[in-house]
């Protein structure tokens, strides 16, 4: 565990005889013309490769992300003394909002209205990439015999199409205020994080797919079939590097699609296959 106790990163670096100034950092900056490209190998963090029975997949793009913090305020009261028809219960309102979010993200074509900002192509682009998650929820006060006065929850929206993602956020926010008015509670939405989607370089993606095919055929001596091309719903370093140069990604199968957990696991043979694919990729550049 790292404890700062008021020590800044710059202070810690100076204590290790590493001087950091804006001028020094600018000297470390890469110039775009000095970088040919960027290739990242990462576990899939999902179940697709395991489901199709292949260790490798090429990545076509990384989904854009928006994170919201939703606060719902009502009237705190005793669970046994406030009649049901007189309650301003933020928990029930939050529950309705969360269920609506799920419906919206499962069937965006049913809820989104077509106008100048949201077209049929925008809605179609959401198919296969749109995912929405409520990962945190908290109440105050948190007691079994009390109607809470406030509920806060997070919303994570991801999609390959940035305009589609914005359309989802707009529709959710619009419906949210109508639902809160109907339940006589106060609602507020804060945007906490935004990152635009990144499309992997088509040339690099094709080369990595071909290299994966070559590697798998060398290892097994058999035709592995078509190497899948996947979309990444998780963020990666390639998102930041894409501002500097073209990027490509190779996914490696992981057990159960589990990540960020002690149960995260990848087979040694699959790591070997990834290494062989990178080698085959470099061979095409020589």
């Amino acid at each position: 565990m790292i404890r700062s106790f008021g020590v800044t990163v710059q202070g810690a670096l100076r204590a290790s005889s590493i001087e950091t100034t804006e001028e020094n950092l600018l000297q470390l900056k890469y110039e775009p013309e000095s970088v040919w490209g960027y290739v990242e190998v990462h576990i899939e963090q999902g179940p697709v490769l395991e489901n199709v029975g292949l260790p490798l997949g090429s990545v076509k793009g990384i989904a854009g992300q928006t994170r919201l913090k939703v606060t719902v305020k009502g009237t705190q009261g005793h669970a046994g003394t406030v009649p049901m028809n007189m309650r301003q219960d933020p928990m029930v309102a939050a529950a309705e909002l969360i269920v609506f979010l799920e419906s919206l993200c499962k069937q965006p074509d049913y809820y989104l209205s077509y106008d100048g900002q949201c077209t049929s192509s925008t809605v179609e682009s959401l198919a296969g990439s749109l995912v929405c998650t409520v990962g945190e929820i908290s109440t105050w006060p948190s007691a079994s015999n009390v109607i809470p006065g406030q509920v806060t929850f997070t919303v994570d929206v991801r999609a390959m199409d940035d305009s589609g993602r914005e359309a989802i956020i707009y529709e959710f926010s619009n419906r949210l205020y109508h639902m809160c008015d109907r339940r006589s509670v106060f609602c507020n939405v804060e945007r906490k994080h935004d990152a635009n989607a990144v499309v992997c370089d088509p040339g690099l993606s094709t080369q990595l797919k071909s290299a994966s095919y070559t590697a798998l055929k060398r290892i097994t001596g058999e035709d592995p079939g078509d190497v899948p091309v996947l979309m990444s719903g998780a963020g990666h370093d390639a998102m930041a590097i894409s501002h500097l140069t073209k990027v490509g990604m190779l996914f490696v199968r992981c057990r159960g699609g589990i990540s960020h957990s002690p149960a995260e696991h990848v087979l040694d043979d699959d790591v070997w296959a990834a290494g062989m694919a990178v080698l085959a990729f470099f061979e095409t550049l020589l």
Side-chain angles (χ1 to χ4, degrees):
M1 180 180 292
I2 299 174
R3 300 180 185 274
S4 64
F5 296 109
V7 177
T8 65
V9 173
Q10 187 177 46
L13 290 171
R14 282 177 176 168
S16 300
S17 301
I18 302 173
E19 187 64 33
T20 56
T21 64
E22 183 176 355
E23 182 179 354
N24 289 345
L25 291 175
L26 286 173
Q27 291 175 358
L28 298 174
K29 180 182 177 182
Y30 281 101
E31 295 300 329
E33 59 271 16
S34 70
V35 183
W36 177 84
Y38 174 84
V39 172
E40 180 175 347
V41 181
H42 203 286
I43 65 167
E44 180 194 354
Q45 299 177 271
V48 176
L49 289 175
E50 187 176 53
N51 190 51
V52 300
L54 287 173
L56 303 175
S58 180
V59 180
K60 63 182 177 182
I62 306 169
Q65 308 171 16
T66 295
R67 293 174 192 161
L68 309 174
K69 178 182 177 182
V70 179
T71 302
V72 186
K73 294 182 179 180
T75 301
Q76 182 181 331
H78 193 287
T81 61
V82 182
M84 294 299 292
N85 62 355
M86 296 179 65
R87 296 187 177 195
Q88 294 172 293
D89 190 339
M91 179 68 84
V92 179
E96 184 178 0
L97 292 171
I98 292 169
V99 171
F100 169 71
L101 176 69
E102 180 191 39
S103 299
L104 171 63
C105 295
K106 280 185 173 180
Q107 297 178 291
D109 55 328
Y110 180 80
Y111 292 98
L112 295 180
S113 56
Y114 298 102
D115 53 29
Q117 292 184 330
C118 183
T119 63
S120 58
S121 61
T122 298
V123 176
E124 290 170 5
S125 71
L126 294 171
S129 74
L130 174 64
V131 288
C132 304
T133 305
V134 173
E136 297 178 56
I137 185 167
S138 61
T139 64
W140 183 90
S142 183
S144 61
N145 65 336
V146 175
I147 303 167
Q150 178 174 303
V151 175
T152 302
F153 63 92
T154 60
V155 172
D156 184 306
V157 181
R158 305 187 185 209
M160 271 305 300
D161 185 89
D162 291 328
S163 60
R165 176 167 47 89
E166 289 296 335
I168 291 294
I169 294 165
Y170 174 83
E171 186 64 25
F172 174 69
S173 300
N174 189 42
R175 296 288 186 107
L176 175 144
Y177 291 117
H178 284 297
M179 291 178 181
C180 290
D181 285 344
R182 176 166 48 79
R183 289 189 171 274
S184 298
V185 295
F186 169 80
C187 291
N188 183 57
V189 180
E190 299 175 71
R191 292 182 81 129
K192 307 299 286 187
H193 172 74
D194 276 296
N196 287 337
V198 170
V199 178
C200 292
D201 180 74
L204 283 179
S205 296
T206 300
Q207 287 174 292
L208 288 169
K209 180 178 179 179
S210 177
S212 298
Y213 177 90
T214 300
L216 294 176
K217 190 171 183 179
R218 283 176 179 173
I219 293 170
T220 65
E222 300 176 356
D223 186 341
D226 194 35
V227 174
V229 178
L230 309 175
M231 184 276 296
S232 174
H236 294 284
D237 294 340
M239 295 183 82
I241 301 297
S242 67
H243 299 289
L244 176 69
T245 187
K246 60 185 179 182
V247 299
M249 286 195 67
L250 186 68
F251 271 168
V252 184
R253 172 173 56 188
C254 58
R255 185 171 59 196
I258 297 171
S259 70
H260 296 79
S261 162
E264 179 181 310
H265 179 76
V266 61
L267 295 172
D268 290 345
D269 286 348
D270 290 355
V271 175
W272 175 258
M276 291 290 286
V278 172
L279 177 61
F281 169 75
F282 282 131
E283 287 174 348
T284 66
L285 303 180
L286 297 177

